[in-house]
Amino acid sequence: MTEDVKQQYNAEQIQVLEGLEPVRVRPGMYIGSTGAKGLHHLVYEIVDNSVDEALAGYCKNISVTIQADNSVKVEDDGRGMPVDKHPKLGLPAVEVIHTVLHAGGKFGGGGYKVSGGLHGVGASVVNALSTNMEVEIKRNGNIYRQTYSRGKTTSPLTIVGESRKTGSTTTFWPDPEIFDEVEFDYATLEHRLREMAFLNKGIKITISDEREGKKRKEVFHYEGGIKEFVKHQNSNKEPIHPDIVYFEVAKKDLEVEVALQYTDSYSELILSYANNINTTEGGFHLVGFKSSITRVFNDYARKAKILKDSDEQLSGDDVREGLTAIVSVKLTNPQFEGQTKTKLGNSEMRGFVETATNENLMAFLEENPAQARIIIDKCIKAARAREAARKARDLTRRKSALDTISLPGKLSDCSEKDPARSEIFLVEGDSAGGSAKQGRDRARQAILPLRGKILNVEKARLDRILNSEEIKNMITAFGCGIGSEFNIEKLRYHKIIIMTDADVDGAHIRTLLLTFFYRFMTPLIEGGYVYAAQPPLFQTKLGKEVHYTYSEKEQEKLLAGLSSKSGKPSVQRYKGLGEMDYHQLWETTMDYNNRTLVQITIENAAAADEIFTTLMGDKVLPRKKFIEENAEYAKLDI
């Protein structure tokens, strides 16, 4: 380092960010991203405040409206935010809530016993990331109003009317300088708000869309709470016993609610929540629940003499096959890992949930022996299938040990050994596979051609899945195993890229592959390792100019731009990857600098499970209904 550079680093280089400036400088630290996920998170922050009022027993109705100008209004009938002067800051409390980071009634000041918005950043962050924000409060017989913009107050708190009612209304306009897009998606908000209504029985949550051409409205109100949540998740599945098991236990500052039911599905869906926050990474409450159900079913099966061999044991995987369960806990001082709050760290929750589940689940089984027998029989069948799958894996391992090369013969591997720099293309058909092999970067890009459509794993157990040649090839190539033996540390490629034709068959193959990854290799999607390539739909030539376009809309725009030039353009519509030579495939779809990859994510586990079951399950009517309702939004490019 030179002396000049050293001298440049002094007090002048130390930047002090005041007020809510840090939020605008680093928005991702507070809302996760500046994409669609972060945009919708703004709504959740405001709604969470209203739900906290409901948890405290003061609010029954919450409404969320996407207004015609794409602003969002959230209204509740709670107590109304406090308007009296803050003792330390001398400002109205509502102004402190909206302009000071980490200010709120959730830090032990007696405002809320149970709360999801623990960090107190909600309303102030929304203010910081909005061009405008308006708050109206009904309280003390008056209607109060105050406005804000980009973290600052733009008008004093004033009384604008009178009202006998109480409650808070917040309207905000997201800042286009911050967000990649400011268009709210109704379906995204709908899923989250329905989930909130399920988790808080008795609350009525209304969502409305007032935008031109998109007008719709739905009301979510579930007196049965998470029992109705389980029923909703199983609506496209076939329950194998009539009653949904439900129990609720409270002790001091801890509460747990559990609802569960078994279906004839081969996959499990366990959703866990802490103070209404979806703990996607689990935590001690989920550990306690899982260990309990394994013990309870083994104990009951032995007591009922269904399991007679003392060595016979049902594993956790066996007792969770086909299980749909909701585990919701509420506690006064939750400890979450990180701002994203995806894992509950309160160790006392493990024993509390375990004991509650032991007692209540065993009581259900003993009081309902016919239903208990149906569930245990399914678990035993799962155990037998697991044993068959183990033998199939052992056989595969023995074969691999005898082969000189254990990787699949169809795989054209790359020479790079660092998984972070390696990627594998799953290519539809031998023809496209041949072009991909020729055009690839042999150092970093591996190619695995797939023959036709793989098995629909939504309708199959692991033992049958392991007999599928195409699936076995993928498992072997990835190197990380499957099911209970899955180990993400052994993954050989950090980009798994699905490359299929831009037609209906290609979309079907992609869906089958995503179903397999979602059901049996979920960490691949959760870790962001799965992508979909976007090959072009059109090649357009005019003289020496060559253009590639990836959608009908993009093609129309290109042709309109070329219309002013002399000559008639030559247009080729690609029906499949095999129609491109390897130069074109590399240039458009595989070249690191030119290609477009779409990362596959799981935004909402409940919604993802519902959609996979609807599209890939046995029931025809839900699939037909889904297609009819969503046909107008269908497109082949992702």
Side-chain angles (χ1 to χ4, degrees):
M1 186 183 291
T2 66
E3 191 63 31
D4 288 344
V5 174
K6 285 181 182 177
Q7 287 177 355
Q8 288 172 8
Y9 185 58
N10 53 34
E12 291 178 10
Q13 275 73 54
I14 305 301
Q15 186 180 10
V16 178
L17 299 176
E18 297 180 353
L20 294 174
E21 284 182 73
V23 182
R24 292 186 61 79
V25 173
R26 295 282 186 271
M29 288 176 61
Y30 299 88
I31 58 168
S33 78
T34 54
K37 189 174 181 180
L39 177 73
H40 292 84
H41 190 86
L42 298 183
V43 182
Y44 309 150
E45 288 285 5
I46 302 300
V47 171
D48 282 348
N49 291 339
S50 297
V51 171
D52 288 339
E53 274 288 282
L55 288 174
Y58 300 105
C59 169
K60 291 184 178 177
N61 298 283
I62 301 168
S63 73
V64 177
T65 306
I66 307 172
Q67 301 192 120
D69 61 356
N70 207 54
S71 62
V72 169
K73 180 170 75 173
V74 179
E75 187 173 4
D76 68 49
D77 60 357
R79 291 170 290 183
M81 285 177 262
V83 293
D84 52 318
K85 289 283 177 75
H86 189 275
K88 287 185 180 178
L89 301 179
L91 297 170
V94 61
E95 187 170 348
V96 174
I97 289 168
H98 288 85
T99 59
V100 179
L101 206 58
H102 303 295
K106 305 166 186 180
F107 296 100
Y112 296 100
K113 181 184 176 186
V114 172
S115 163
L118 295 173
H119 299 283
V121 301
S124 57
V125 163
V126 178
N127 174 17
L129 303 179
S130 299
T131 53
N132 289 294
M133 189 180 200
E134 295 177 0
V135 176
E136 276 197 0
I137 299 158
K138 293 172 184 172
R139 189 178 173 119
N140 309 327
N142 295 319
I143 302 174
Y144 300 84
R145 188 172 184 270
Q146 190 166 37
T147 61
Y148 315 90
S149 175
R150 294 183 169 126
K152 294 181 170 60
T153 306
T154 54
S155 73
L157 182 69
T158 54
I159 296 175
V160 294
E162 296 180 354
S163 177
R164 294 182 186 179
K165 297 178 181 178
T166 61
S168 302
T169 302
T170 301
T171 309
F172 66 92
W173 289 256
D175 191 344
E177 291 180 12
I178 297 291
F179 295 97
D180 304 334
E181 54 180 288
V182 289
E183 185 82 14
F184 286 98
D185 179 58
Y186 182 91
T188 301
L189 294 176
E190 175 196 17
H191 281 299
R192 175 62 178 155
L193 296 176
R194 181 190 284 115
E195 184 179 64
M196 294 299 286
F198 279 132
L199 292 168
N200 300 278
K201 55 188 173 189
I203 297 179
K204 183 188 286 185
I205 302 180
T206 304
I207 177 171
S208 309
D209 195 336
E210 295 179 347
R211 294 173 294 186
E212 193 62 41
K214 296 182 178 181
K215 292 185 178 178
R216 57 192 295 192
K217 179 179 179 178
E218 286 178 86
V219 178
F220 306 123
H221 184 217
Y222 306 106
E223 290 295 343
I226 62 171
K227 274 184 79 171
E228 293 193 55
F229 199 171
V230 168
K231 185 179 178 182
H232 173 79
Q233 289 300 138
N234 287 347
S235 59
N236 295 336
K237 302 175 185 176
E238 203 64 59
I240 60 172
H241 59 101
D243 294 335
I244 294 173
V245 183
Y246 173 81
F247 56 88
E248 183 177 6
V249 177
K251 178 184 174 185
K252 293 183 180 177
D253 292 334
L254 306 178
E255 295 176 26
V256 61
E257 259 190 297
V258 172
L260 63 91
Q261 186 181 39
Y262 281 83
T263 71
D264 62 359
S265 166
Y266 300 127
S267 56
E268 67 177 80
L269 177 68
I270 304 177
L271 301 172
S272 66
Y273 300 85
N275 290 7
N276 294 323
I277 295 161
N278 186 354
T279 45
T280 52
E281 292 183 72
F284 284 105
H285 56 327
L286 187 58
V287 172
F289 173 73
K290 284 184 174 181
S291 60
S292 173
I293 60 170
T294 305
R295 181 185 302 109
V296 167
F297 280 116
N298 275 290
D299 289 350
Y300 179 83
R302 293 199 193 292
K303 195 186 295 184
K305 297 188 168 31
I306 303 171
L307 283 181
K308 294 174 184 175
D309 186 343
S310 59
D311 294 330
E312 202 171 359
Q313 184 85 2
L314 298 171
S315 73
D317 287 336
D318 300 334
V319 302
R320 293 195 302 271
E321 182 185 279
L323 172 65
T324 301
I326 313 294
V327 180
S328 176
V329 299
K330 293 187 172 74
L331 60 167
T332 306
N333 295 305
Q335 298 162 15
F336 292 101
E337 292 189 4
Q339 167 64 17
T340 52
K341 312 171 190 172
T342 54
K343 191 172 185 178
L344 185 65
N346 296 70
S347 57
E348 69 273 18
M349 263 299 170
R350 175 173 182 167
F352 174 63
V353 173
E354 201 165 346
T355 301
T357 307
N358 285 346
E359 294 171 0
N360 289 276
L361 183 56
M362 182 61 82
F364 174 85
L365 296 176
E366 290 175 344
E367 290 165 14
N368 300 273
Q371 294 188 63
R373 182 65 197 237
I374 292 168
I375 298 169
I376 297 293
D377 283 348
K378 179 173 175 62
C379 296
I380 290 171
K381 284 178 185 173
R384 288 170 184 160
R386 174 173 54 86
E387 182 59 20
R390 185 189 63 77
K391 288 177 180 175
R393 278 196 295 261
D394 288 346
L395 186 62
T396 305
R397 288 195 195 99
R398 283 198 295 275
K399 281 183 179 177
S400 297
L402 294 170
D403 292 343
T404 52
I405 301 173
S406 61
L407 291 171
K410 282 189 167 189
L411 174 70
S412 297
D413 206 4
C414 56
S415 56
E416 176 64 61
K417 300 304 176 191
D418 180 2
R421 287 176 47 80
S422 305
E423 50 190 50
I424 183 170
F425 285 83
L426 306 178
V427 187
E428 171 190 352
D430 290 332
S431 173
S435 294
K437 285 176 188 176
Q438 280 185 283
R440 69 185 174 126
D441 170 10
R442 292 170 183 267
R444 293 174 53 197
Q445 293 178 328
I447 309 294
L448 181 62
L450 300 175
R451 185 183 300 166
K453 295 172 182 174
I454 70 162
L455 177 72
N456 179 3
V457 302
E458 191 72 20
K459 304 174 183 178
R461 273 199 178 104
L462 188 57
D463 55 330
R464 187 178 161 212
I465 289 164
L466 289 173
N467 286 325
S468 163
E469 195 63 35
E470 302 301 312
I471 289 177
K472 277 196 291 189
N473 286 342
M474 282 191 287
I475 295 167
T476 309
F478 298 166
C480 53
I482 188 172
S484 60
E485 295 184 356
F486 186 92
N487 183 354
I488 200 73
E489 299 296 322
K490 294 184 178 179
L491 182 63
R492 300 180 66 244
Y493 314 94
H494 281 191
K495 277 193 176 71
I496 296 168
I497 303 166
I498 301 169
M499 190 160 69
T500 58
D501 291 345
D503 59 11
V504 173
D505 279 343
H508 190 196
I509 291 167
R510 185 166 61 234
T511 305
L512 288 167
L513 286 167
L514 291 176
T515 304
F516 168 61
F517 294 147
Y518 177 70
R519 292 301 186 197
F520 290 94
M521 292 183 161
T522 317
L524 289 183
I525 300 179
E526 291 175 338
Y529 297 113
V530 181
Y531 296 80
Q534 280 201 293
L537 286 177
F538 300 94
Q539 182 200 64
T540 304
K541 290 182 180 179
L542 182 61
K544 292 184 178 180
E545 291 182 37
V546 180
H547 303 272
Y548 295 99
T549 49
Y550 295 79
S551 67
E552 300 274 359
K553 198 172 182 180
E554 195 181 343
Q555 178 67 6
E556 288 171 13
K557 189 176 177 182
L558 172 67
L559 292 176
L562 294 176
S563 62
S564 60
K565 298 186 177 182
S566 59
K568 185 180 179 182
S570 161
V571 178
Q572 180 184 359
R573 168 68 159 89
Y574 290 119
K575 294 176 183 175
L577 297 168
E579 292 186 12
M580 284 188 270
D581 63 34
Y582 70 90
H583 293 293
Q584 294 170 328
L585 190 59
W586 163 258
E587 185 182 340
T588 62
T589 317
M590 301 176 73
D591 183 354
Y592 310 107
N593 300 313
N594 297 326
R595 71 188 183 185
T596 300
L597 295 181
V598 177
Q599 190 175 46
I600 308 299
T601 60
I602 304 175
E603 291 298 328
N604 182 304
D609 183 84
E610 188 179 338
I611 204 85
F612 276 113
T613 304
T614 300
L615 294 177
M616 309 305 290
D618 287 321
K619 288 194 174 183
V620 176
L621 287 178
R623 181 157 50 249
K624 182 182 177 185
K625 183 175 180 240
F626 178 86
I627 292 169
E628 287 172 349
E629 289 175 353
N630 294 276
E632 62 181 296
Y633 308 114
K635 56 181 182 176
L636 291 175
D637 54 317
I638 294 182

